[in-house]
Amino acid sequence: MEKEMTPTLLSNSFNGTTNSSGSGEFKVSRRSNQKIKFAASLNHNNSDKSSNSVPHKKAIKVLDAQRRDVTPLALGPTRLEEPQSKKKPLSLDDLFFNTGANIFKSSSVADVASSRLFCSSFSSMSTMESGLLSRSCKTEDSFPLQDVTPPPPAHSAVPLERKCLPEENPDQGFDVTLTETDTFSLLDISPTIISEDAEGAEAVKQRNIHYAEFCKSRMANDNYSERSTQAFVGEPKTKHVQTNKNSSVNKSTTATSWDMYDSLCKPVDAGETQEADQEDYFVSTKKEKDKAEGSLSGDTGSTLSFVVEMETCVDSLTAESDQDKIVLSESFQNSLLVMERVVVLNIFQPMLAAFRGLPVLKDPYSTEKKPAAMEQSTEDKDWFLTPTLERLWAFACPLSIGRNITSMTWNKRNPDILAVGYGDWSSGSPKPGLVCCWSLKNLMWSERIFPCHSSVTCLDFSANNPGQLAVGMYDGSVAIYNIQAKNQVACIANSRDTSKRHQQPVWQVIWTKQQLQLSGEERDEVLVSVSGDGRITKWLMLSDGFNCIDLMVVKRIQDRKEKPKGNQEKIENVLLPVTPVLCVDFHPTDAGIYVIGTWDGRMHKCSFSNSAHFLDTYNKHFSPVTQVEWSRFYPDVFLSCSADWTIQLWQLDTMTPKMSFTSVQSPVDSIKWSPNCSMVFAAVYRQRMEVWDLSSSILLPTAVHHAEPGVTLGSVLLAKGSDCVLVGDSGGRVTVYKLKNFRAGKQKQVNNLDDIMQAVPGSLND
Amino acid sequence: MSEVEEIMKRILSHKGVEGVIIANTEGIILRSTLEDQSTVHHVALVQPLLMKAKKIVQDMDPEDELTYVRLRTEKNEEIIAADKDYFMISIQTPSL
């Protein structure tokens, strides 16, 4: 009733039903006169009545009586009009009467001209009214009508009465008044029950009574007779229909926080394939179960099982290609490596625990009970037992067995890595050597194996670059290996092609830190080698290769005449008076000082800066000095051993040895201080290995180990942080022994090497 | 490829090792040294354990990942190496 009421859309269905005449009565109640004015303007030119101009042709703006814009909005995406005969400006006539196929073609109710629809329905209504009903109605519609022939409305055959509008109207807004129709009643079925108080109740009652009497009288009446008849009833027939079983697949997933994180982190394609794999996994497992159940239910699951077979075929094909990919992947090889280590550690767990000084746990499920009891009793008597060596294990692998071990060294950074050099030149012609890097984590196979072209005589790990291992060989070449690489690329330097290389076997290589030149923290490290041609050379990795600088050439000291000294090159001529240098060791704190041991038994103290003269000479041995080693605990003390069956303890500025140790008449091949205790050192003779503990005895070795027959011991090493001794022999085995019952340094703290040295009566004279 | 075979052979040659099984995450067996029946049995039983273990680790810390699981029983020890694409089981009877 209000004039502000917005025009509402009439639906299609309404149109449809109003067209057909349904069952029941059709009533139209009196129409309420509801007038809604709306102004529709077609904007060909900018009309002043509309508030703003819309650029496209068919925009219609609807304004209500208060000139407010109440244009209905489109419900759906606006449909482009077919450009058919639209050259003429569109008239409201078209809009209102063009109800044919155009509008009802699109399924969407809304259009740009949604008001158009409304208008059309309204027009249909008015048409119908004018056609079907003859009522007086008040309409104030003033449609602008132009000379456009509209298509005949599809729903009504009644010709329209049109009023022609004067021509000037198109540019102006016009008023359209909307009124409400009366109510149409479509179906009216009157009830068959009326109450007793209603008007026609009496008549109905009478009729009911009359009917009841009539029914009663039916039986005896001649007007009616009974007859029966039979109807044909069709036989029911069963018909079978077979369909495929509807298979159902359960799919589920759990969204967990890690799942979401994974999907976020992975790239999208990989993520999708991963998902697909996951889904396949789920689906395939489910289908396998179904297959199992399907076989019970018979042929209803036949199609299902076929599908499952297909899937498993596909799966097996992809599995093979996956297999290679997996097996070759790096993580798999890592896993294999760790797996091997774990397995080996399981086997050797008690030995390794003993090595590390951890208590050895007995397996609670093992069947042996007796040794445990015995262990307990021996612990009390521990104090009185003699120190012994207990064999723990041996590093040996099929590649290394049979080769003679010449040198061993620990890695400076990772104390679990042991490098062992193999070489054999006793048969006259030197055989190719081998360097193996063992790890304590895998006792049965060495982690790195580097074959060398010549027998290996010495090894040393660098401290600054812990991955670099310097190798000295029998033919005089010096090589540096990077043990982090696995194969041929490991050898990063080789002096084979260097012009100034050694011509005689390299007897020792050693990395040493130079004097602190700058204020930097890392001191430069330098590789120094000594060899049988009397040269002590410093090796450098220059841009053009591996090159060396002679630090010193050791000449045979002749008392009679002075040979010209200098750094001249000596050609490989044994007659020239050079003395093979067999060993060298640098002072632990004063890096410029080093001591060398030579073939003729002399030891010289030299300095980096002075390449011409020795600073000092220590004369005691009369056979080749095989090893010199400074003590790590007492900076001025060093130990030397030689083939004259003796081991001598020297102090830096004393020209005669402080102490001397002899036990058997056999050349001493090597000695090593213990890195844990200042008074323990190990010495290896050909057939035995001795451990000396100076705090308990200075005359006899504390523990002695004899080599197996047929095997000579070549090298010895003591482990840091663990009281174990490693012995390398000519059979290619590095045997690890634990020093048991050693009380070195534990009880008597007072004992000190100085004290011991003082205690020796006087200094030994020649 | 041959390196892998070599390492596997070595693992098998260690004392107490009874078998090694390699399978991918879907449970398809890639390599096994035990017989088929027990291999399938093993894989089918280990797989849910691994998934549960992975879930445990990642629920506690989404950036963490499961690497190894060691299952020690009275009679033997199973060492399982787990990864996104595969898992490997090795069964060893410890000699303690």
Side-chain angles (χ1 to χ4, degrees):
Chain A
M1 293 283 262
E2 310 301 319
K3 288 193 180 168
E4 290 83 33
M5 213 189 295
T6 53
T8 52
L9 268 176
L10 297 173
S11 64
N12 268 350
S13 55
F14 178 64
N15 267 336
T17 45
T18 47
N19 288 342
S20 59
S21 55
S23 60
E25 289 185 348
F26 191 86
K27 283 193 231 165
V28 175
S29 54
R30 176 141 186 103
R31 184 203 310 181
S32 62
N33 217 352
Q34 198 175 35
K35 291 182 196 164
I36 297 166
K37 290 196 178 176
F38 80 93
S41 59
L42 292 172
N43 281 326
H44 311 289
N45 318 311
N46 288 340
S47 118
D48 44 357
K49 280 230 173 153
S50 57
S51 33
N52 43 3
S53 59
V54 182
H56 51 97
K57 276 191 197 170
K58 298 176 293 236
I60 294 181
K61 293 188 68 60
V62 179
L63 311 166
D64 66 1
Q66 274 76 27
R67 291 286 179 255
R68 280 183 299 196
D69 187 1
V70 290
T71 316
L73 297 168
L75 281 179
T78 60
R79 193 171 60 90
L80 283 178
E81 289 303 315
E82 307 94 16
Q84 51 179 9
S85 71
K86 288 290 189 272
K87 293 188 187 120
K88 288 189 193 160
L90 205 61
S91 65
L92 268 184
D93 204 10
D94 278 336
L95 299 170
F96 288 156
F97 299 118
N98 196 355
T99 60
N102 280 355
I103 294 176
F104 295 119
K105 230 188 254 178
S106 66
S107 57
S108 65
V109 172
D111 249 349
V112 171
S114 57
S115 53
R116 197 201 224 205
L117 189 63
F118 160 74
C119 297
S120 69
S121 56
F122 173 72
S123 68
S124 71
M125 203 165 45
S126 61
T127 315
M128 202 156 28
E129 280 187 341
S130 55
L132 294 173
L133 308 168
S134 54
R135 298 187 57 111
S136 64
C137 42
K138 255 195 202 169
T139 52
E140 290 175 11
D141 28 16
S142 48
F143 296 110
L145 296 172
Q146 293 184 354
D147 302 326
V148 178
T149 55
H155 56 277
S156 165
V158 176
L160 287 170
E161 286 182 17
R162 266 181 260 136
K163 301 175 191 161
C164 280
L165 210 65
E167 287 297 325
E168 71 270 10
N169 255 352
D171 294 338
Q172 240 183 343
F174 51 87
D175 289 333
V176 175
T177 309
L178 307 175
T179 52
E180 199 179 287
T181 64
D182 296 331
T183 309
F184 292 95
S185 179
L186 302 175
L187 182 66
D188 190 16
I189 302 177
S190 45
T192 54
I193 298 176
I194 56 174
S195 80
E196 284 195 348
D197 304 328
E199 294 154 9
E202 275 305 314
V204 173
K205 273 192 196 156
Q206 284 301 315
R207 282 210 302 273
N208 286 350
I209 293 168
H210 183 253
Y211 185 68
E213 280 181 14
F214 170 74
C215 287
K216 279 190 206 140
S217 66
R218 190 172 59 87
M219 292 305 290
N221 211 335
D222 282 336
N223 291 338
Y224 307 95
S225 65
E226 275 195 19
R227 247 176 108 172
S228 59
T229 175
Q230 182 167 11
F232 285 114
V233 176
E235 258 186 46
K237 180 169 129 179
T238 51
K239 194 166 169 73
H240 292 277
V241 172
Q242 184 169 6
T243 60
N244 278 341
K245 174 181 171 187
N246 280 339
S247 64
S248 69
V249 172
N250 272 347
K251 275 197 183 183
S252 69
T253 181
T254 317
T256 54
S257 53
W258 54 265
D259 202 2
M260 293 189 271
Y261 179 82
D262 277 349
S263 329
L264 260 178
C265 285
K266 284 202 192 86
V268 178
D269 338 339
E272 281 176 6
T273 52
Q274 189 80 4
E275 261 183 47
D277 286 348
Q278 282 259 312
E279 278 192 19
D280 282 342
Y281 161 68
F282 281 121
V283 168
S284 63
T285 48
K286 174 67 184 161
K287 281 203 168 170
E288 280 179 23
K289 269 209 299 196
D290 279 344
K291 186 180 179 186
E293 289 160 3
S295 56
L296 293 171
S297 60
D299 42 334
T300 50
S302 56
T303 46
L304 191 62
S305 59
F306 175 67
V307 171
V308 172
E309 278 171 29
M310 283 272 289
E311 276 223 354
T312 50
C313 280
V314 170
D315 278 343
S316 61
L317 283 176
T318 53
E320 282 175 15
S321 58
D322 277 344
Q323 180 180 5
D324 288 343
K325 199 172 60 161
I326 287 173
V327 165
L328 292 173
S329 73
E330 203 182 305
S331 63
F332 183 74
Q333 302 196 339
N334 269 351
S335 298
L336 263 184
L337 183 77
V338 178
M339 182 74 78
E340 196 187 351
R341 284 186 180 177
V342 165
V343 165
V344 170
L345 285 178
N346 266 344
I347 300 173
F348 286 103
Q349 199 269 337
M351 287 73 126
L352 277 173
F355 180 84
R356 306 238 189 233
L358 300 170
V360 179
L361 299 171
K362 273 276 172 228
D363 185 8
Y365 298 105
S366 78
T367 50
E368 306 173 3
K369 297 263 167 59
K370 235 182 141 190
M374 280 183 56
E375 284 265 340
Q376 295 244 324
S377 56
T378 49
E379 296 231 350
D380 303 325
K381 301 181 201 159
D382 203 10
W383 185 265
F384 305 106
L385 287 180
T386 54
T388 50
L389 297 171
E390 182 195 347
R391 182 187 188 279
L392 293 180
W393 74 84
F395 286 108
C397 74
L399 271 187
S400 69
I401 293 220
R403 291 179 185 261
N404 179 36
I405 295 182
T406 52
S407 52
M408 300 188 291
T409 179
W410 291 107
N411 187 306
K412 304 261 166 56
R413 171 87 60 87
N414 182 352
D416 285 346
I417 296 180
L418 174 73
V420 180
Y422 303 82
D424 192 5
W425 54 85
S426 54
S427 55
S429 59
K431 298 181 212 154
L434 190 70
V435 175
C436 283
C437 285
W438 294 83
S439 163
L440 274 181
K441 294 179 184 151
N442 187 347
L443 307 180
M444 307 217 22
W445 185 262
S446 96
E447 306 265 318
R448 299 279 188 270
I449 300 173
F450 305 117
C452 301
H453 61 273
S454 167
S455 295
V456 174
T457 51
C458 50
L459 300 168
D460 197 28
F461 269 108
S462 159
N464 276 1
N465 310 316
Q468 289 187 359
L469 175 68
V471 177
M473 290 185 241
Y474 192 75
D475 65 348
S477 36
V478 172
I480 300 182
Y481 283 84
N482 177 17
I483 63 167
Q484 288 167 337
K486 283 211 183 186
N487 44 17
Q488 295 310 311
V489 298
C491 183
I492 55 180
N494 197 323
S495 74
R496 260 205 286 188
D497 309 319
T498 319
S499 55
K500 293 201 284 184
R501 65 183 187 275
H502 291 293
Q503 312 298 333
Q504 296 285 318
V506 177
W507 293 111
Q508 186 150 5
V509 283
I510 188 166
W511 291 89
T512 181
K513 290 200 182 271
Q514 277 184 324
Q515 280 292 86
L516 196 61
Q517 306 286 349
L518 319 157
S519 60
E521 297 180 6
E522 275 285 328
R523 294 196 290 180
D524 278 341
E525 235 187 355
V526 146
L527 176 65
V528 173
S529 69
V530 292
S531 97
D533 55 3
R535 282 165 50 207
I536 306 163
T537 54
K538 175 170 82 169
W539 292 85
L540 305 159
M541 281 291 290
L542 301 171
S543 51
D544 53 346
F546 198 35
N547 221 329
C548 65
I549 298 174
D550 272 352
L551 289 178
M552 166 159 290
V553 180
V554 177
K555 305 287 195 302
R556 185 160 303 165
I557 294 180
Q558 310 276 356
D559 295 317
R560 294 182 295 277
K561 47 186 173 171
E562 294 242 317
K563 295 284 173 190
K565 297 196 175 79
N567 284 351
Q568 296 162 13
E569 288 276 325
K570 298 293 175 200
I571 330 163
E572 54 274 18
N573 198 334
V574 196
L575 299 177
L576 284 177
V578 286
T579 318
V581 181
L582 295 182
C583 51
V584 65
D585 199 12
F586 282 80
H587 195 279
T589 46
D590 184 8
I593 309 281
Y594 57 93
V595 173
I596 57 170
T598 61
W599 181 269
D600 51 4
R602 273 182 260 258
M603 289 190 298
H604 306 284
K605 175 173 114 176
C606 322
S607 141
F608 246 101
S609 42
N610 189 340
S611 62
H613 303 275
F614 308 124
L615 299 179
D616 263 330
T617 305
Y618 302 94
N619 260 320
K620 179 73 171 108
H621 295 290
F622 44 86
S623 295
V625 178
T626 47
Q627 186 109 27
V628 175
E629 193 172 0
W630 291 91
S631 164
R632 297 276 171 260
F633 296 91
Y634 293 96
D636 288 339
V637 171
F638 63 93
L639 206 60
S640 73
C641 67
S642 101
D644 64 353
W645 314 335
T646 60
I647 303 168
Q648 313 280 350
L649 182 74
W650 306 78
Q651 202 166 17
L652 187 60
D653 299 316
T654 317
M655 289 305 118
T656 50
K658 287 280 180 180
M659 282 167 47
S660 160
F661 311 101
T662 324
S663 66
V664 281
Q665 297 175 352
S666 167
V668 188
D669 279 332
S670 177
I671 47 158
K672 283 271 166 38
W673 282 105
S674 159
N676 307 318
C677 179
S678 63
M679 290 185 281
V680 173
F681 65 89
V684 69
Y685 302 73
R686 292 284 155 81
Q687 298 296 330
R688 50 196 258 161
M689 189 268 296
E690 296 175 349
V691 179
W692 291 73
D693 180 4
L694 298 178
S695 62
S696 53
S697 159
I698 61 171
L699 294 177
L700 289 175
T702 319
V704 175
H705 164 73
H706 294 267
E708 287 137 35
V711 167
T712 57
L713 305 178
S715 178
V716 74
L717 197 62
L718 283 142
K720 184 164 187 158
S722 140
D723 43 358
C724 289
V725 184
L726 285 80
V727 180
D729 59 21
S730 64
R733 272 177 294 267
V734 179
T735 322
V736 180
Y737 297 92
K738 185 169 164 70
L739 303 169
K740 285 185 79 170
N741 308 321
F742 263 66
R743 291 174 298 277
K746 286 182 197 139
Q747 315 312 328
K748 307 171 193 176
Q749 295 292 336
V750 188
N751 254 5
N752 183 312
L753 207 57
D754 290 331
D755 293 342
I756 295 179
M757 288 196 287
Q758 302 304 324
V760 174
S763 51
L764 302 169
N765 291 322
D766 273 352
Chain B
M1 209 41 172
S2 59
E3 273 183 32
V4 166
E5 295 289 342
E6 233 186 80
I7 301 181
M8 273 196 64
K9 251 199 310 195
R10 275 213 311 271
I11 294 181
L12 286 167
S13 68
H14 287 320
K15 192 160 76 154
V17 174
E18 290 183 359
V20 172
I21 301 170
I22 306 175
N24 75 351
T25 31
E26 296 181 11
I28 297 174
I29 295 160
L30 304 176
R31 200 110 19 129
S32 166
T33 59
L34 303 171
E35 61 199 17
D36 280 350
Q37 181 73 11
S38 52
T39 307
V40 170
H41 200 194
H42 250 104
V43 168
L45 293 171
V46 161
Q47 214 171 12
L49 173 74
L50 271 190
M51 296 207 54
K52 186 77 180 173
K54 278 185 194 170
K55 183 176 179 301
I56 294 173
V57 167
Q58 292 196 309
D59 259 348
M60 305 231 266
D61 179 8
E63 299 184 20
D64 211 352
E65 260 184 49
L66 180 72
T67 47
Y68 293 92
V69 174
R70 271 172 100 150
L71 202 66
R72 176 80 169 94
T73 70
E74 268 191 38
K75 297 195 185 156
N76 53 19
E77 174 165 1
E78 295 205 9
I79 305 151
I80 308 165
D83 188 86
K84 282 199 195 356
D85 304 319
Y86 64 89
F87 61 91
M88 174 163 63
I89 311 172
S90 70
I91 307 155
Q92 186 189 18
T93 320
S95 50
L96 280 176

